Amino acid sequence: MRPFLLVAHRWVALAATLFILIVAATGSALVFEGAMDRALYPNLWRVAPGTARLPLDTIIANARRAVPGPAAGITLATAPDRADVVQVGANQVFVNPYTGALLGTRSIAEWNATLPRRLHVLHVQLMTGRVGSEIVGAVTVIALLLVLTGIYLWWADKQWRINWSASWKRIVFDLHHTLGIAASVVLLAITGSGVIMHYRTLNDAIAKLDRTAPPQIPDQAAAPTGAEPLALDSLERIAMAALPGARVMFASMSPRATDPIAFALRFPEDHTPGGRSRVFIDRYRGTVLLATSTRTAPPGTRILNVMRSVHTGDVFGKPSEAVWLLASLVMLSQSVTGVMMWWNGRKGRAARNRRAAIGGQLPAADAAPRVAVR
């Protein structure tokens, strides 16, 4: 079994090296996706922290004066020096939450052209749509299998130490084994969660752990005659009261009169950017129509809720993001050192093949002893 897995591990890795490099490199960069966007476009994001926020309706009204049209939602700043982002049509409108000043606008097309977004699409689709997405899914499965077989192959030697005084070939060998096993648990989490996120069949299988079907988003009753929607700040307070301890991340306002206002909330232990808890509220009456909490979610939903955090390293906040970044860099190094090991071992493999072809005897020209990698 071990000789077969060794050959399979080597050649499958070599065949997938280019794609693994792309996915691992972009995955490493995407740890900083939000920070990268804010660094590249500080004029859109950066504000001077103030003492009190303006009402949400005022922020939305200011955004709509800059870009006419119905507002589809508002994303609230998660840091005191950041702007709120209002979605108006196909545009992002950045507004200072303390002064109401317009910082700038960005169309969805412009957002898709930004470096962070391009890296994201490259990571999940290789910039080629559905075909690229399926390739990434297959590569993620391969990466998971490489980690598993790598652990099995490592177990025989249990190589932990890097001999820095040895030849560079031996150092490459030691790096491949030592770094690979050190990052193996995190790499299993990254690749395993990636496989589950990609394949709908696996999502459905996990969802079946729930004893009941997920609740349907309710319709909102017709508005009372002459009634105006309640202030968004009032609805926000109702949402937070429905899920004590959670903070609102964004509000979604459907243009359909029968759709409630939807709030996405995040508890402190939930490190996903948008939060996974939801509250749907009648915009005219302030009645909570549905509230779903990550804290009370059934087991299947709870697993699926945390899956993205496991994949990206958000699961334990900044410390785990740093560990996940290092593990992604190890995945990059595994591809590089693996190719180097294959290249370094070509002569030895060729000699063994010739010896096997002539019944175990090497030609005179190959009779010199093979130098071991030290």
Side-chain angles (χ1 to χ4, degrees):
M1 175 64 76
R2 192 173 189 278
F4 168 78
L5 287 179
L6 179 61
V7 173
H9 183 89
R10 176 192 302 141
W11 290 107
V12 170
L14 286 170
T17 290
L18 177 60
F19 295 113
I20 292 175
L21 282 171
I22 292 173
V23 173
T26 52
S28 301
L30 288 176
V31 172
F32 307 104
E33 185 175 6
M36 196 185 309
D37 192 49
R38 292 189 294 272
L40 290 172
Y41 305 97
N43 56 309
L44 296 178
W45 288 103
R46 193 169 300 157
V47 303
T51 56
R53 289 178 53 92
L54 291 173
L56 296 178
D57 287 312
T58 300
I59 293 172
I60 291 174
N62 288 1
R64 293 182 62 193
R65 274 194 287 271
V67 180
I74 178 171
T75 301
L76 305 185
T78 56
D81 61 346
R82 294 181 197 165
D84 285 352
V85 184
V86 182
Q87 187 74 38
V88 182
N91 297 277
Q92 298 172 324
V93 185
F94 297 80
V95 182
N96 187 318
Y98 308 106
T99 66
L102 176 70
L103 302 179
T105 63
R106 183 167 66 183
S107 69
I108 298 301
E110 291 171 332
W111 172 64
N112 282 326
T114 62
L115 176 61
R117 184 59 184 169
R118 286 183 180 275
L119 288 173
H120 188 102
V121 176
L122 181 60
H123 181 71
V124 300
Q125 296 181 347
L126 299 177
M127 306 293 285
T128 57
R130 182 178 178 82
V131 173
S133 176
E134 293 307 316
I135 292 174
V136 169
V139 168
T140 308
V141 172
I142 289 172
L144 174 60
L145 294 176
L146 289 175
V147 176
L148 290 171
T149 55
I151 294 172
Y152 176 84
L153 294 170
W154 170 87
W155 190 258
D157 299 325
K158 299 182 179 62
Q159 175 63 40
W160 282 104
R161 189 172 65 90
I162 301 173
N163 185 357
W164 295 105
S165 62
S167 69
W168 69 271
K169 291 182 180 182
R170 179 67 199 201
I171 292 174
V172 168
F173 179 90
D174 289 352
L175 283 171
H176 188 82
H177 289 73
T178 302
L179 293 180
I181 199 64
S184 59
V185 173
V186 176
L187 291 178
L188 285 175
I190 293 173
T191 54
S193 58
V195 170
I196 292 172
M197 289 167 61
H198 179 81
Y199 291 103
R200 182 70 187 177
T201 302
L202 296 177
N203 275 254
D204 293 342
I206 293 174
K208 288 180 180 178
L209 295 174
D210 296 347
R211 294 184 177 180
T212 59
Q216 298 297 311
I217 299 174
D219 285 335
Q220 177 179 269
T225 303
E228 292 291 331
L230 298 176
L232 196 56
D233 285 85
S234 297
L235 298 175
E236 180 191 25
R237 287 191 290 271
I238 293 171
M240 289 190 293
L243 296 179
R247 63 176 296 179
V248 171
M249 306 306 295
F250 68 86
S252 178
M253 294 87 71
S254 169
R256 294 178 53 196
T258 57
D259 288 342
I261 296 287
F263 289 91
L265 295 90
R266 186 173 73 187
F267 286 100
E269 68 273 13
D270 178 8
H271 295 285
T272 54
R276 298 294 185 182
S277 301
R278 298 289 185 270
V279 177
F280 299 86
I281 303 176
D282 186 314
R283 64 181 79 191
Y284 296 100
R285 301 169 183 83
T287 306
V288 175
L289 304 176
L290 174 66
T292 61
S293 169
T294 54
R295 289 181 171 177
T296 59
T301 300
R302 190 174 293 237
I303 292 171
L304 293 174
N305 281 342
V306 79
M307 198 56 58
R308 183 193 180 279
S309 297
V310 171
H311 186 68
T312 60
D314 297 325
V315 61
F316 298 121
K318 295 300 180 183
S320 58
E321 286 182 6
V323 173
W324 262 239
L325 170 62
L326 293 174
S328 297
L329 294 176
V330 168
M331 178 66 83
L332 277 172
S333 75
Q334 292 296 96
S335 296
V336 174
T337 55
V339 171
M340 294 174 69
M341 287 167 60
W342 165 77
W343 185 264
N344 292 338
R346 287 178 309 138
K347 290 183 178 180
R349 288 192 299 273
R352 287 193 296 274
N353 291 338
R354 288 195 298 271
R355 183 165 56 239
I358 61 175
Q361 297 298 320
L362 280 174
D366 293 325
R370 183 167 58 92
V371 178
V373 176
R374 300 184 184 279

